[in-house]
Amino acid sequence: MSNYAIGVDFGTGSGRVAIVNVDNGDVAATHVTEYKHGVITDCLPNSSIALKRESALQHPKDYLTVLETSIPICLQEGGVKKEDIVGIGIDFTACTVLPITSSLEPLCFDDKWKNEPHAWVKLWKHHAAQNQADRINRLAIEQEASWLARYGGIVSSEWMLPKLVEVIEEAPDVYEEAAYFMEASDWITSILTGKVSRNNCAAGFKGLWHKEEGYIGKEFLKQIHPSLENVYETKLAGEVKSIGQVAGYLTTSMAERIGLNEGVPVAMGIIDAHAGVPGATVASPGELVLVMGTSTCHMLLSEKEELVPGISGVVKDGIIPGYYAYEAGQAAVGDIFAWFVQENVPAYVVEAAKNEQKDIHQWLEEKANKIPPGSNGLMALDWHNGCRTPLVNSNLSGMFVGLTLNSKPEEMYRSLIEATAYGTKLIIEQFEENNIKINSLVACGGLPQKNKLMMQIYADVTGRKIQIASNTITPAIGSAMYGAVVAGENDGGHATIQQAAKKMGKLKDEIVIPKEEASRKYQELYSIYKEMVYHFGKTSNIMHKLKEI
């Protein structure tokens, strides 16, 4: 008899369940449930109520549907008995936050609040709290708050505190009504177990919590807004527990809903990209993990805590116990390519791809592969969803330089790929300039599997070899690993996440090696990219003015 762990990966547009053999990492089954309501940006479901600009909301019912749909399907398709499931792990986008009642019911489920946007889930890429983030940053800089340096010197509008202040200021009745505001990862584990707790990964990276120092001080919170003074004992209450610990055990009611036995241990939730680190076999320092999807998260382990400007945070034990976990990132990568294909590709490209029975991305990649580095005279900035690292500024925007009447779609497509590679190189430099060595890269997620040209460009631009995960569901595999760890060695799981990563993680045999000539050319082009970053990101306020208008 084999033992299995379940990993549930809640992404931006869908949720995936994987049932994984804890002994060898073989995937018995996997299933994706698309979110019926997707990302809500224009108006609320079944409503004409318009949302303000930069809003990105979701429907929490979609998350429950993932559990109720995909877990039973995986059990059936994988031929796995529910008795063979030893543990469950959950990963989620972050900071994705929702207001709930004391009985864990989302406020938006109540007719009283269904037409109030602030009663719904605020997705990680909800940027409508930028004004609140700016005020928090100004106060922190003015007071020389020591904790700010752990987050690269800037609090992002994507994080918990700005989103909370947005609710207080724009919908104070929602703030008062809510018993808790919870990361969606913690809400799901609480629903599964009936116990409220908060994972140290999300609390540390997105909630301004530190293992030794705890949360930020009440006096600072009070100056942001009087209602925040005791927020960590009230609206954000709950024990902060470490990754790899048990959140609780599957309740009878939830076991019936998702087709499992009651009492199965549920691991503390973790941010989706962070689960991809052990999922990509990485459990020690020196390897930068690129979790590549709609955005890219750059994950790194270290034995020391360094205050790196522009990163998204450093959290002790945030991914692997015993190490400091670092997060950096690019706010849009796959989203940029999707935008280009959906909004900018001419009819003749669509027709040509159709005639050749190719996906448009595949058609563009094949054409772009024939273009030598720099020969198209194009340079792009990859800030279509703002710049996360190192500038941490969602007011910045994307651009092309060098467009002419002769510019072709495949040239623009390649320049966008190159721009995201330059953005990754900039992040690598940021780490290494602050005494954190990076030896090689490990890429996971959907993009590395689909686009060989992209991975070669990344290797050429960064000058580093790249290993690629053997599957596209690395976060789900990583979550299953945490599920195996909370089961424990004596009950069919693993003693440590390092052990789980060794047994359950897999990489492709092929390694992407930088091409010397291309790398030399890209060094020259990269210097131009850095000039653009400096000018448009630091010197000029053109992008800010355009957004204000």
Side-chain angles (χ1 to χ4, degrees):
M1 181 186 79
S2 297
N3 292 318
Y4 297 88
I6 292 177
V8 189
D9 169 35
F10 289 93
T12 299
S14 63
R16 178 186 294 275
V17 168
I19 296 182
V20 186
N21 187 306
V22 302
D23 294 320
N24 56 26
D26 288 347
V27 178
T30 182
H31 184 266
V32 175
T33 297
E34 300 290 333
Y35 299 152
K36 177 182 176 181
H37 301 90
V39 179
I40 303 167
T41 57
D42 298 322
C43 60
L44 294 177
N46 304 313
S47 169
S48 59
I49 297 174
L51 303 179
K52 65 178 181 177
R53 189 175 176 84
E54 305 285 356
S55 291
L57 310 181
Q58 287 197 315
H59 198 318
K61 185 177 180 181
D62 291 342
Y63 307 149
L64 298 176
T65 301
V66 171
L67 299 174
E68 295 166 350
T69 303
S70 289
I71 289 178
I73 288 175
C74 281
L75 289 169
Q76 183 178 5
E77 292 185 351
V80 177
K81 297 178 181 179
K82 61 182 180 180
E83 291 79 14
D84 297 335
I85 302 299
V86 299
I88 303 171
I90 304 291
D91 71 76
F92 223 112
T93 60
C95 175
T96 295
V97 60
L98 70 161
I100 62 173
T101 67
S102 58
S103 59
L104 308 180
E105 188 85 352
L107 258 60
C108 63
F109 284 3
D110 189 331
D111 286 345
K112 177 182 177 182
W113 301 106
K114 67 179 182 180
N115 292 324
E116 169 51 67
H118 291 290
W120 292 71
V121 175
K122 293 185 189 296
L123 185 60
W124 67 270
K125 62 178 182 177
H126 176 88
H127 288 158
Q130 186 60 51
N131 288 337
Q132 288 78 9
D134 290 342
R135 290 211 321 273
I136 292 167
N137 285 316
R138 282 196 298 269
L139 182 62
I141 292 169
E142 180 184 303
Q143 297 188 357
E144 299 182 348
S146 60
W147 53 265
L148 191 62
R150 291 198 296 269
Y151 301 96
I154 298 178
V155 171
S156 169
S157 65
E158 296 178 358
W159 298 354
M160 177 67 82
L161 190 57
K163 287 175 175 173
L164 210 56
V165 178
E166 183 192 17
V167 177
I168 292 174
E169 294 179 343
E170 298 183 10
D173 49 348
V174 170
Y175 183 78
E176 291 302 320
E177 182 78 9
Y180 302 109
F181 286 81
M182 296 196 77
E183 283 277 0
S185 55
D186 294 327
W187 179 64
I188 287 292
T189 57
S190 297
I191 287 288
L192 291 172
T193 65
K195 295 182 179 297
V196 173
S197 55
R198 300 183 185 262
N199 72 82
N200 71 324
C201 182
F205 282 105
K206 313 299 180 182
L208 309 181
W209 174 87
H210 188 266
K211 185 171 183 178
E212 281 79 31
E213 299 176 14
Y215 289 110
I216 61 177
K218 291 185 178 183
E219 187 58 36
F220 181 87
L221 294 168
K222 186 178 179 180
Q223 290 179 65
I224 295 298
H225 196 283
S227 298
L228 286 173
E229 182 177 5
N230 298 307
V231 68
Y232 291 116
E233 291 84 32
T234 54
K235 307 295 184 181
L236 298 179
E239 180 186 0
V240 178
K241 299 177 73 173
S242 293
I243 299 306
Q245 286 188 299
V246 178
Y249 299 86
L250 194 60
T251 64
T252 302
S253 61
M254 282 305 299
E256 291 174 354
R257 288 174 67 176
I258 64 178
L260 296 175
N261 286 334
E262 65 176 297
V264 176
V266 178
M268 292 300 299
I270 185 171
I271 301 173
D272 52 354
H274 302 57
V277 174
T281 74
V282 175
S284 58
E287 293 181 293
L288 182 69
V289 179
L290 311 182
V291 186
M292 305 177 73
T294 55
S295 62
T296 292
C297 285
H298 302 69
M299 312 306 305
L300 189 64
L301 302 172
S302 177
E303 295 173 337
K304 55 188 177 181
E305 182 180 46
E306 297 285 355
L307 303 179
V308 181
I311 64 165
S312 300
V314 52
V315 177
K316 189 174 184 179
D317 304 332
I319 299 176
I320 305 292
Y323 294 115
Y324 288 93
Y326 290 81
E327 177 191 349
Q330 292 163 274
V333 177
D335 267 357
I336 297 179
F337 312 141
W339 161 80
F340 182 76
V341 166
Q342 291 165 9
E343 305 293 344
N344 299 273
V345 170
Y348 80 83
V349 170
V350 176
E351 187 66 23
K354 182 179 179 181
N355 291 339
E356 296 176 30
Q357 297 183 323
K358 294 174 182 175
D359 176 84
I360 295 174
H361 288 277
Q362 182 185 5
W363 190 93
L364 288 169
E365 178 189 351
E366 290 179 2
K367 296 290 185 183
N369 195 31
K370 300 174 182 178
I371 302 170
S375 63
N376 58 14
L378 279 176
M379 178 71 68
L381 279 177
D382 52 319
W383 296 342
H384 294 61
N385 197 29
C387 178
R388 187 178 297 163
T389 305
L391 302 179
V392 197
N393 189 340
S394 64
N395 286 317
L396 298 176
S397 49
M399 68 178 298
F400 282 104
V401 172
L403 284 174
T404 72
L405 295 177
N406 294 318
S407 297
K408 300 293 184 184
E410 58 267 31
E411 295 174 330
M412 298 169 71
Y413 189 75
R414 181 177 179 115
S415 69
L416 289 172
I417 294 175
E418 291 170 341
T420 66
Y422 298 142
T424 288
K425 183 175 176 65
L426 195 64
I427 289 169
I428 291 171
E429 285 187 353
Q430 195 78 354
F431 277 117
E432 295 206 317
E433 287 170 3
N434 288 275
N435 305 312
I436 300 177
K437 182 67 177 173
I438 295 172
N439 299 317
S440 60
L441 311 181
V442 179
C444 61
L447 288 177
Q449 305 286 343
K450 298 174 185 175
N451 198 318
K452 288 187 176 181
L453 171 64
M454 180 179 188
M455 299 322 299
Q456 187 62 58
I457 289 174
Y458 270 57
D460 295 341
V461 167
T462 63
R464 287 167 170 79
K465 68 176 184 179
I466 303 176
Q467 292 180 280
I468 300 174
S470 64
N471 57 69
T472 61
I473 59 170
T474 320
I477 301 293
S479 288
M481 291 178 184
Y482 290 107
V485 170
V486 295
E489 206 166 19
N490 293 334
D491 289 317
H494 292 295
T496 65
I497 191 64
Q498 288 93 335
Q499 184 184 92
K502 185 176 181 180
K503 290 279 189 179
M504 299 169 68
K506 297 179 181 180
L507 297 174
K508 285 186 173 183
D509 292 333
E510 178 187 0
I511 299 175
V512 185
I513 304 296
K515 296 178 180 177
E516 189 174 340
E517 184 177 344
S519 288
R520 281 199 303 269
K521 188 66 177 178
Y522 277 128
Q523 275 298 107
E524 182 181 353
L525 292 165
Y526 176 64
S527 66
I528 298 173
Y529 174 86
K530 287 181 73 174
E531 284 185 47
M532 290 171 60
V533 168
Y534 182 81
H535 178 74
F536 289 102
K538 296 183 179 181
T539 304
S540 170
N541 64 351
I542 288 174
M543 292 178 177
H544 292 259
K545 284 182 177 180
L546 288 172
K547 279 215 168 183
E548 288 173 6
I549 293 171

